[in-house]
């Protein structure tokens, strides 16, 4: 028989201690927040479990039997140990909740996370947040190694060892400077043309590159890049200067398209949409501030 079947639960022990303090089952019941009949039932159940009478009941009140007094001493130690356990667990939660380490792919880090982190700070002003930005492959590695509590990636798949949830949808667009011939086209660029063109691209391991590679795999694959750069900002700057067409998140080029520093180039029959995901180690949902941040992104 397990220990749990031979030892009263904490609620029953707390009730017994309240009876000892007040000498009244009714006042003890009020202290622990239950009715007097429920308190009487709990005491009787405890007496049956232990096989001894614990409380003498009379019109003048309730007093402990000799066995009840001994059990009360033991109960006090058990309740004090439980309180110490709870205080220690709370200290662990406080330590966990005092910091949050986030890793995010470039697009999410630059264009989505700032508003989520501002909202998180409003609800958890005592949590210190650190953010590492990198490509999706690097983010996954950080989460898998335990160097980040929560990650955000842009790729088509999630590595083994990670669970995920979609937090947003994104569309990749082909953009070029107004001076580029593609900016003046009246017909969409075909998949074969896009695959054969020297483009300004993100590096391997980035979510943007993964989506583009997959979209053009049946059209000969990507040609050798004109430039291969490690940040969205660098790719965008190169495209604005007229170096060549680029493929970027729609989130990243909103201002440049509005100001006509870049022009969106229509492309035919190429699936350039993607899911943006939060990732964490396989298992339960993240706890504490990581779970709060995940909820904000879903919202």
């Amino acid at each position: 028989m397990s220990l749990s079947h031979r030892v009263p639960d904490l609620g029953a022990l707390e009730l017994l201690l309240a009876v000892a303090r007040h000498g009244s089952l009714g006042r003890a019941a009020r202290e622990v927040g239950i009715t007097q009949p429920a308190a009487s039932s709990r005491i009787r159940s405890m007496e049956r479990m232990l096989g001894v009478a614990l409380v003498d009941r009379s019109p003048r009140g309730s007093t402990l039997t000799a066995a009840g007094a001994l059990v009360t001493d033991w109960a006090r130690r058990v309740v004090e140990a439980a309180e110490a356990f709870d205080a220690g667990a709370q200290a662990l939660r406080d330590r966990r909740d005092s910091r949050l380490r986030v890793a995010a792919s470039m697009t999410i880090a630059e264009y989505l996370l700032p508003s989520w982190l501002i909202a998180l700070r409003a609800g958890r002003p005592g949590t210190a947040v650190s953010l590492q930005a990198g490509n999706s492959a690097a983010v996954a590695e950080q989460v898998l190694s335990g160097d980040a509590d929560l990650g955000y990636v842009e790729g088509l798949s999630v590595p083994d060892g990670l669970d995920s949830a979609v937090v947003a949808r994104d569309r990749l667009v082909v953009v070029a400077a107004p001076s580029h011939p593609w900016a003046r086209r009246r017909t969409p660029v075909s998949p074969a043309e896009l695959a054969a063109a020297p483009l300004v691209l993100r590096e391997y391991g980035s979510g943007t590159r993964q989506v583009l590679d997959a979209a053009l795999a049946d059209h000969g694959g990507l040609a050798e890049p004109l430039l291969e750069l490690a940040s969205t900002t660098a790719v965008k700057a190169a495209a604005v200067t007229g170096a060549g067409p680029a493929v970027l998140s729609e989130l990243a080029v909103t201002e440049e398209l509005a100001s006509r520093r870049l022009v969106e180039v229509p492309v035919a029959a190429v699936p350039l949409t993607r899911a943006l995901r939060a990732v964490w180690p396989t298992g339960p949902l993240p706890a504490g501030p990581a779970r709060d941040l995940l909820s904000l992104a879903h919202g």
Side-chain angles (χ1 to χ4, degrees):
M1 185 182 294
S2 67
L3 184 63
S4 63
H5 290 91
R6 292 177 285 143
V7 176
D9 62 49
L10 282 173
L13 296 179
E14 289 175 327
L15 174 62
L16 184 62
L17 292 174
V19 172
R21 283 193 297 274
H22 295 292
S24 164
L25 193 59
R27 288 199 293 272
R30 286 193 294 275
E31 180 181 312
V32 300
I34 60 176
T35 64
Q36 184 166 338
S40 295
S41 175
R42 186 169 289 185
I43 292 293
R44 285 194 299 270
S45 177
M46 187 162 36
E47 289 174 329
R48 286 193 299 270
M49 176 184 291
L50 298 175
V52 295
L54 301 174
V55 177
D56 283 330
R57 303 161 184 83
S58 73
R60 295 186 300 276
S62 300
T63 58
L64 298 177
T65 64
L70 184 58
V71 170
T72 298
D73 285 339
W74 298 337
R76 186 172 292 107
R77 284 178 249 169
V78 172
V79 171
E80 287 173 352
E83 289 171 345
F85 181 93
D86 183 56
Q90 183 61 51
L92 289 176
R93 288 191 294 270
D94 290 344
R95 186 168 66 183
R96 177 202 67 196
D97 294 353
S98 67
R99 68 167 187 171
L100 174 61
R101 300 167 303 164
V102 181
S105 60
M106 295 293 187
T107 300
I108 298 173
E110 290 183 40
Y111 301 102
L112 294 176
L113 258 178
S115 63
W116 299 342
L117 293 177
I118 289 170
L120 178 69
R121 183 162 184 80
R124 285 185 176 269
T127 298
V129 179
S130 62
L131 172 61
Q132 292 290 328
N135 65 38
S136 291
V139 169
E141 288 175 7
Q142 285 184 284
V143 177
L144 284 168
S145 67
D147 291 331
D149 304 308
L150 187 65
Y152 291 93
V153 298
E154 307 165 13
L156 292 174
S157 61
V158 174
D160 291 341
L162 295 178
D163 283 341
S164 69
V166 174
V167 296
R169 301 281 176 180
D170 187 26
R171 183 173 74 97
L172 299 182
V173 292
V174 179
V175 293
S179 59
H180 192 277
W182 279 8
R184 299 187 294 274
R185 284 182 63 124
R186 295 188 178 182
T187 58
V189 172
S190 71
E193 285 180 290
L194 183 61
L199 302 172
V200 182
L201 296 175
R202 286 288 309 279
E203 79 286 5
Y204 281 110
S206 73
T208 299
R209 186 69 171 266
Q210 289 176 27
V211 172
L212 190 58
D213 280 337
L216 296 177
D218 294 334
H219 303 282
L222 281 168
E224 187 70 21
L226 178 67
L227 292 171
E228 192 173 66
L229 303 171
S231 77
T232 298
T233 301
V235 172
K236 185 164 55 174
V240 167
T241 62
V247 181
L248 289 165
S249 164
E250 188 174 33
L251 295 169
V253 292
T254 301
E255 293 182 8
E256 287 75 15
L257 293 176
S259 64
R260 297 286 297 175
R261 286 184 291 159
L262 289 173
V263 175
E264 181 177 349
V265 178
V267 179
V270 178
L272 292 179
T273 58
R274 60 182 177 176
L276 307 181
R277 294 180 175 88
V279 295
W280 60 90
T282 297
L285 281 171
R291 177 171 294 198
D292 289 353
L293 183 58
L294 184 57
S295 298
L296 287 168
H298 273 303

